[in-house]
Each structure stands twice: as structure tokens, then as C-alpha cells.
Short mmCIF file of all heavy atoms in Angstrom, two decimals:
data_model
loop_
_atom_site.label_atom_id
_atom_site.label_comp_id
_atom_site.label_asym_id
_atom_site.label_seq_id
_atom_site.Cartn_x
_atom_site.Cartn_y
_atom_site.Cartn_z
N LYS A 1 0.87 -1.18 0.00
CA LYS A 1 0.00 0.00 0.00
C LYS A 1 0.90 1.22 0.00
O LYS A 1 1.64 1.46 0.95
CB LYS A 1 -0.91 0.03 1.23
CG LYS A 1 -1.81 1.26 1.23
CD LYS A 1 -2.71 1.33 2.42
CE LYS A 1 -3.55 2.60 2.34
NZ LYS A 1 -4.30 2.85 3.53
N GLU A 2 0.82 2.00 -1.08
CA GLU A 2 1.64 3.21 -1.16
C GLU A 2 0.87 4.39 -0.58
O GLU A 2 -0.33 4.53 -0.80
CB GLU A 2 2.03 3.49 -2.61
CG GLU A 2 3.00 2.47 -3.15
CD GLU A 2 3.50 2.83 -4.53
OE1 GLU A 2 2.69 3.33 -5.35
OE2 GLU A 2 4.68 2.60 -4.79
N THR A 3 1.58 5.20 0.17
CA THR A 3 1.00 6.40 0.75
C THR A 3 1.91 7.59 0.46
O THR A 3 3.06 7.43 0.07
CB THR A 3 0.83 6.27 2.27
OG1 THR A 3 2.10 6.09 2.87
CG2 THR A 3 -0.08 5.11 2.64
N SER A 4 1.36 8.76 0.66
CA SER A 4 2.12 9.99 0.49
C SER A 4 1.85 10.84 1.72
O SER A 4 0.70 11.10 2.07
CB SER A 4 1.62 10.71 -0.78
OG SER A 4 2.46 11.75 -1.15
N ARG A 5 2.91 11.25 2.40
CA ARG A 5 2.78 12.06 3.62
C ARG A 5 3.60 13.33 3.48
O ARG A 5 4.49 13.42 2.64
CB ARG A 5 3.24 11.26 4.84
CG ARG A 5 2.38 10.04 5.06
CD ARG A 5 2.29 9.64 6.51
NE ARG A 5 1.36 8.55 6.67
CZ ARG A 5 0.05 8.70 6.85
NH1 ARG A 5 -0.48 9.89 6.92
NH2 ARG A 5 -0.73 7.66 6.98
N VAL A 6 3.31 14.29 4.34
CA VAL A 6 3.95 15.60 4.23
C VAL A 6 4.38 16.11 5.60
O VAL A 6 3.71 15.86 6.60
CB VAL A 6 2.99 16.62 3.57
CG1 VAL A 6 1.75 16.84 4.40
CG2 VAL A 6 3.67 17.93 3.27
N VAL A 7 5.53 16.76 5.62
CA VAL A 7 5.93 17.54 6.79
C VAL A 7 5.41 18.94 6.50
O VAL A 7 5.98 19.68 5.71
CB VAL A 7 7.47 17.54 6.99
CG1 VAL A 7 7.84 18.42 8.18
CG2 VAL A 7 7.98 16.12 7.17
N LEU A 8 4.27 19.25 7.08
CA LEU A 8 3.55 20.50 6.80
C LEU A 8 3.90 21.53 7.86
O LEU A 8 3.66 21.32 9.05
CB LEU A 8 2.05 20.23 6.79
CG LEU A 8 1.12 21.38 6.47
CD1 LEU A 8 1.34 21.87 5.03
CD2 LEU A 8 -0.33 20.95 6.66
N LEU A 9 4.48 22.64 7.42
CA LEU A 9 4.88 23.72 8.33
C LEU A 9 3.97 24.92 8.17
O LEU A 9 3.61 25.28 7.05
CB LEU A 9 6.32 24.16 8.04
CG LEU A 9 7.40 23.09 8.13
CD1 LEU A 9 8.73 23.64 7.63
CD2 LEU A 9 7.54 22.58 9.54
N ASN A 10 3.65 25.58 9.28
CA ASN A 10 2.91 26.84 9.19
C ASN A 10 3.92 27.99 9.17
O ASN A 10 5.14 27.77 9.15
CB ASN A 10 1.88 26.99 10.33
CG ASN A 10 2.51 27.10 11.70
OD1 ASN A 10 3.71 27.32 11.87
ND2 ASN A 10 1.68 26.97 12.73
N ASN A 11 3.45 29.21 9.18
CA ASN A 11 4.33 30.39 9.10
C ASN A 11 5.24 30.55 10.31
O ASN A 11 6.17 31.34 10.29
CB ASN A 11 3.51 31.66 8.91
CG ASN A 11 2.84 31.70 7.54
OD1 ASN A 11 3.31 31.06 6.60
ND2 ASN A 11 1.74 32.43 7.44
N PHE A 12 4.97 29.82 11.39
CA PHE A 12 5.79 29.91 12.61
C PHE A 12 6.78 28.74 12.70
O PHE A 12 7.45 28.58 13.72
CB PHE A 12 4.89 29.93 13.86
CG PHE A 12 3.90 31.06 13.84
CD1 PHE A 12 2.56 30.81 13.57
CD2 PHE A 12 4.30 32.37 14.07
CE1 PHE A 12 1.64 31.85 13.55
CE2 PHE A 12 3.38 33.41 14.05
CZ PHE A 12 2.05 33.15 13.78
N GLY A 13 6.83 27.89 11.65
CA GLY A 13 7.73 26.75 11.65
C GLY A 13 7.22 25.56 12.45
O GLY A 13 7.97 24.64 12.73
N GLN A 14 5.95 25.58 12.84
CA GLN A 14 5.37 24.47 13.59
C GLN A 14 4.93 23.37 12.63
O GLN A 14 4.42 23.65 11.54
CB GLN A 14 4.16 24.95 14.41
CG GLN A 14 4.53 25.98 15.46
CD GLN A 14 3.31 26.65 16.07
OE1 GLN A 14 2.37 26.99 15.37
NE2 GLN A 14 3.34 26.83 17.38
N VAL A 15 5.12 22.12 13.02
CA VAL A 15 4.79 20.96 12.20
C VAL A 15 3.38 20.47 12.55
O VAL A 15 3.07 20.27 13.73
CB VAL A 15 5.81 19.82 12.40
CG1 VAL A 15 5.42 18.59 11.60
CG2 VAL A 15 7.21 20.28 12.03
N ALA A 16 2.56 20.24 11.53
CA ALA A 16 1.21 19.71 11.75
C ALA A 16 1.27 18.21 11.94
O ALA A 16 1.92 17.50 11.19
CB ALA A 16 0.33 20.04 10.54
N LEU A 17 0.60 17.73 12.99
CA LEU A 17 0.48 16.29 13.26
C LEU A 17 -0.98 15.95 13.47
O LEU A 17 -1.74 16.74 14.02
CB LEU A 17 1.27 15.90 14.52
CG LEU A 17 2.78 16.02 14.46
CD1 LEU A 17 3.38 15.72 15.83
CD2 LEU A 17 3.36 15.09 13.41
N LEU A 18 -1.36 14.77 13.04
CA LEU A 18 -2.71 14.27 13.27
C LEU A 18 -2.69 13.34 14.47
O LEU A 18 -1.79 12.50 14.59
CB LEU A 18 -3.23 13.52 12.04
CG LEU A 18 -3.34 14.34 10.77
CD1 LEU A 18 -3.71 13.43 9.60
CD2 LEU A 18 -4.37 15.43 10.92
N ASN A 19 -3.67 13.46 15.34
CA ASN A 19 -3.77 12.61 16.52
C ASN A 19 -4.63 11.39 16.19
O ASN A 19 -5.76 11.53 15.75
CB ASN A 19 -4.40 13.40 17.68
CG ASN A 19 -4.51 12.57 18.94
OD1 ASN A 19 -3.76 11.64 19.14
ND2 ASN A 19 -5.44 12.93 19.79
N VAL A 20 -4.07 10.21 16.39
CA VAL A 20 -4.81 8.97 16.20
C VAL A 20 -5.21 8.50 17.60
O VAL A 20 -4.47 7.77 18.27
CB VAL A 20 -3.97 7.91 15.46
CG1 VAL A 20 -4.78 6.64 15.23
CG2 VAL A 20 -3.44 8.47 14.14
N GLU A 21 -6.37 8.98 18.06
CA GLU A 21 -6.82 8.72 19.44
C GLU A 21 -6.95 7.25 19.75
O GLU A 21 -6.58 6.80 20.84
CB GLU A 21 -8.16 9.41 19.69
CG GLU A 21 -8.01 10.83 20.18
CD GLU A 21 -9.35 11.42 20.59
OE1 GLU A 21 -9.99 10.84 21.49
OE2 GLU A 21 -9.74 12.43 20.00
N ARG A 22 -7.47 6.49 18.80
CA ARG A 22 -7.74 5.07 19.04
C ARG A 22 -6.49 4.32 19.50
O ARG A 22 -6.56 3.44 20.34
CB ARG A 22 -8.28 4.45 17.76
CG ARG A 22 -8.64 3.00 17.89
CD ARG A 22 -9.29 2.50 16.63
NE ARG A 22 -9.62 1.09 16.77
CZ ARG A 22 -10.17 0.38 15.83
NH1 ARG A 22 -10.44 0.93 14.67
NH2 ARG A 22 -10.44 -0.88 16.03
N TYR A 23 -5.33 4.67 18.94
CA TYR A 23 -4.09 3.97 19.28
C TYR A 23 -3.09 4.86 20.02
O TYR A 23 -1.96 4.46 20.25
CB TYR A 23 -3.45 3.38 18.02
CG TYR A 23 -4.34 2.37 17.34
CD1 TYR A 23 -4.93 2.66 16.13
CD2 TYR A 23 -4.61 1.14 17.93
CE1 TYR A 23 -5.76 1.73 15.49
CE2 TYR A 23 -5.44 0.21 17.32
CZ TYR A 23 -6.00 0.52 16.10
OH TYR A 23 -6.83 -0.39 15.49
N ASN A 24 -3.50 6.07 20.34
CA ASN A 24 -2.69 6.99 21.14
C ASN A 24 -1.32 7.31 20.52
O ASN A 24 -0.28 7.12 21.14
CB ASN A 24 -2.52 6.45 22.56
CG ASN A 24 -1.99 7.51 23.50
OD1 ASN A 24 -2.26 8.70 23.33
ND2 ASN A 24 -1.22 7.09 24.49
N TYR A 25 -1.34 7.76 19.26
CA TYR A 25 -0.11 8.22 18.62
C TYR A 25 -0.42 9.35 17.64
O TYR A 25 -1.59 9.64 17.38
CB TYR A 25 0.65 7.07 17.94
CG TYR A 25 0.01 6.55 16.66
CD1 TYR A 25 0.38 7.06 15.42
CD2 TYR A 25 -0.93 5.53 16.69
CE1 TYR A 25 -0.19 6.58 14.25
CE2 TYR A 25 -1.50 5.05 15.52
CZ TYR A 25 -1.12 5.58 14.30
OH TYR A 25 -1.68 5.12 13.15
N HIS A 26 0.61 9.97 17.13
CA HIS A 26 0.47 11.05 16.15
C HIS A 26 1.15 10.65 14.86
O HIS A 26 2.09 9.85 14.87
CB HIS A 26 1.11 12.34 16.68
CG HIS A 26 0.40 12.91 17.86
ND1 HIS A 26 0.60 12.45 19.14
CD2 HIS A 26 -0.53 13.88 17.94
CE1 HIS A 26 -0.17 13.13 19.96
NE2 HIS A 26 -0.87 14.00 19.27
N LYS A 27 0.67 11.21 13.75
CA LYS A 27 1.28 10.92 12.45
C LYS A 27 1.25 12.17 11.58
O LYS A 27 0.49 13.11 11.84
CB LYS A 27 0.58 9.76 11.75
CG LYS A 27 -0.86 10.05 11.35
CD LYS A 27 -1.47 8.84 10.67
CE LYS A 27 -2.91 9.14 10.24
NZ LYS A 27 -3.49 8.00 9.53
N LEU A 28 2.08 12.15 10.55
CA LEU A 28 2.10 13.25 9.59
C LEU A 28 0.86 13.17 8.70
O LEU A 28 0.36 12.08 8.41
CB LEU A 28 3.35 13.15 8.71
CG LEU A 28 4.68 13.35 9.43
CD1 LEU A 28 5.83 12.98 8.50
CD2 LEU A 28 4.82 14.78 9.91
N PRO A 29 0.34 14.31 8.24
CA PRO A 29 -0.80 14.31 7.34
C PRO A 29 -0.47 13.58 6.03
O PRO A 29 0.66 13.62 5.56
CB PRO A 29 -1.06 15.80 7.07
CG PRO A 29 -0.37 16.52 8.16
CD PRO A 29 0.78 15.67 8.57
N GLY A 30 -1.47 12.96 5.45
CA GLY A 30 -1.32 12.25 4.20
C GLY A 30 -2.08 10.95 4.26
O GLY A 30 -2.79 10.66 5.22
N GLY A 31 -1.93 10.15 3.22
CA GLY A 31 -2.63 8.88 3.20
C GLY A 31 -2.40 8.13 1.92
O GLY A 31 -1.49 8.43 1.16
N GLY A 32 -3.27 7.15 1.69
CA GLY A 32 -3.12 6.23 0.58
C GLY A 32 -3.23 6.89 -0.79
O GLY A 32 -3.97 7.84 -0.98
N ILE A 33 -2.46 6.34 -1.71
CA ILE A 33 -2.49 6.78 -3.10
C ILE A 33 -3.50 5.90 -3.82
O ILE A 33 -3.37 4.68 -3.85
CB ILE A 33 -1.09 6.65 -3.76
CG1 ILE A 33 -0.08 7.51 -3.00
CG2 ILE A 33 -1.16 7.03 -5.23
CD1 ILE A 33 1.36 7.31 -3.44
N GLU A 34 -4.52 6.52 -4.40
CA GLU A 34 -5.57 5.77 -5.09
C GLU A 34 -5.18 5.49 -6.53
O GLU A 34 -4.28 6.15 -7.08
CB GLU A 34 -6.89 6.56 -5.03
CG GLU A 34 -7.42 6.69 -3.61
CD GLU A 34 -8.71 7.48 -3.51
OE1 GLU A 34 -9.22 7.97 -4.55
OE2 GLU A 34 -9.21 7.62 -2.38
N ALA A 35 -5.83 4.50 -7.13
CA ALA A 35 -5.55 4.12 -8.52
C ALA A 35 -5.64 5.34 -9.43
O ALA A 35 -6.58 6.13 -9.35
CB ALA A 35 -6.54 3.05 -8.97
N GLY A 36 -4.63 5.52 -10.26
CA GLY A 36 -4.60 6.62 -11.20
C GLY A 36 -4.05 7.93 -10.66
O GLY A 36 -3.92 8.90 -11.39
N GLU A 37 -3.75 7.97 -9.36
CA GLU A 37 -3.20 9.18 -8.75
C GLU A 37 -1.68 9.12 -8.70
O GLU A 37 -1.10 8.07 -8.49
CB GLU A 37 -3.67 9.32 -7.29
CG GLU A 37 -5.02 9.90 -7.10
CD GLU A 37 -5.33 10.13 -5.62
OE1 GLU A 37 -4.97 9.30 -4.76
OE2 GLU A 37 -5.98 11.15 -5.34
N SER A 38 -1.08 10.28 -8.82
CA SER A 38 0.36 10.40 -8.56
C SER A 38 0.51 10.64 -7.06
O SER A 38 -0.45 11.03 -6.39
CB SER A 38 0.96 11.56 -9.34
OG SER A 38 0.53 12.80 -8.80
N PRO A 39 1.71 10.45 -6.51
CA PRO A 39 1.91 10.76 -5.08
C PRO A 39 1.54 12.21 -4.75
O PRO A 39 0.95 12.47 -3.70
CB PRO A 39 3.40 10.49 -4.86
CG PRO A 39 3.72 9.43 -5.86
CD PRO A 39 2.90 9.80 -7.07
N ARG A 40 1.86 13.16 -5.63
CA ARG A 40 1.51 14.56 -5.36
C ARG A 40 0.01 14.80 -5.40
O ARG A 40 -0.52 15.57 -4.61
CB ARG A 40 2.22 15.49 -6.34
CG ARG A 40 3.66 15.71 -5.97
CD ARG A 40 4.27 16.82 -6.78
NE ARG A 40 5.69 16.87 -6.51
CZ ARG A 40 6.40 17.96 -6.55
NH1 ARG A 40 5.84 19.10 -6.85
NH2 ARG A 40 7.69 17.93 -6.29
N GLN A 41 -0.69 14.16 -6.34
CA GLN A 41 -2.15 14.31 -6.40
C GLN A 41 -2.79 13.75 -5.13
O GLN A 41 -3.69 14.36 -4.57
CB GLN A 41 -2.70 13.58 -7.63
CG GLN A 41 -2.37 14.26 -8.94
CD GLN A 41 -2.71 13.40 -10.14
OE1 GLN A 41 -2.64 12.17 -10.09
NE2 GLN A 41 -3.08 14.04 -11.24
N ALA A 42 -2.31 12.58 -4.70
CA ALA A 42 -2.84 11.98 -3.47
C ALA A 42 -2.59 12.88 -2.28
O ALA A 42 -3.47 13.08 -1.44
CB ALA A 42 -2.20 10.60 -3.24
N LEU A 43 -1.41 13.45 -2.23
CA LEU A 43 -1.07 14.34 -1.13
C LEU A 43 -1.99 15.56 -1.11
O LEU A 43 -2.49 15.95 -0.06
CB LEU A 43 0.39 14.78 -1.23
CG LEU A 43 0.95 15.52 -0.04
CD1 LEU A 43 0.86 14.68 1.22
CD2 LEU A 43 2.39 15.90 -0.31
N GLY A 44 -2.23 16.14 -2.27
CA GLY A 44 -3.13 17.28 -2.35
C GLY A 44 -4.53 16.94 -1.87
O GLY A 44 -5.14 17.69 -1.11
N ARG A 45 -5.04 15.80 -2.31
CA ARG A 45 -6.38 15.36 -1.89
C ARG A 45 -6.42 15.10 -0.39
O ARG A 45 -7.34 15.55 0.31
CB ARG A 45 -6.76 14.08 -2.66
CG ARG A 45 -8.10 13.49 -2.25
CD ARG A 45 -8.42 12.20 -2.99
NE ARG A 45 -7.34 11.23 -2.98
CZ ARG A 45 -7.00 10.48 -1.93
NH1 ARG A 45 -7.66 10.58 -0.78
NH2 ARG A 45 -6.00 9.60 -2.01
N GLU A 46 -5.42 14.41 0.13
CA GLU A 46 -5.38 14.09 1.56
C GLU A 46 -5.26 15.36 2.41
O GLU A 46 -5.87 15.45 3.48
CB GLU A 46 -4.24 13.13 1.88
CG GLU A 46 -4.45 11.72 1.35
CD GLU A 46 -5.47 10.93 2.16
OE1 GLU A 46 -5.82 11.34 3.28
OE2 GLU A 46 -5.91 9.88 1.66
#
């Protein structure tokens, strides 16, 4: 399963993280690449 994730910074240099409450961890924004998508297209959609 291919995914595309991003280190997303705001204007203050802070990194965006998503909280996965169910398993008590954080991850970078992004997700699975769907059929026919490029990694950049998937990243934009996610």
C-alpha cells in the first residue's frame, strides 16, 4: 500500500500532526495513493 505524507509547516515553523486517538499516537498528514493518482495528487487530496 503506497502512501504519500507531508511535513507540513505553518508560518511559525510548527509541524502539523494528526492525533490517532484510538491507538494513542500522532502521524504526519497524508494517506493512501488511489488508482490513477500520482503521489503529489494523493497528497493534495489528503
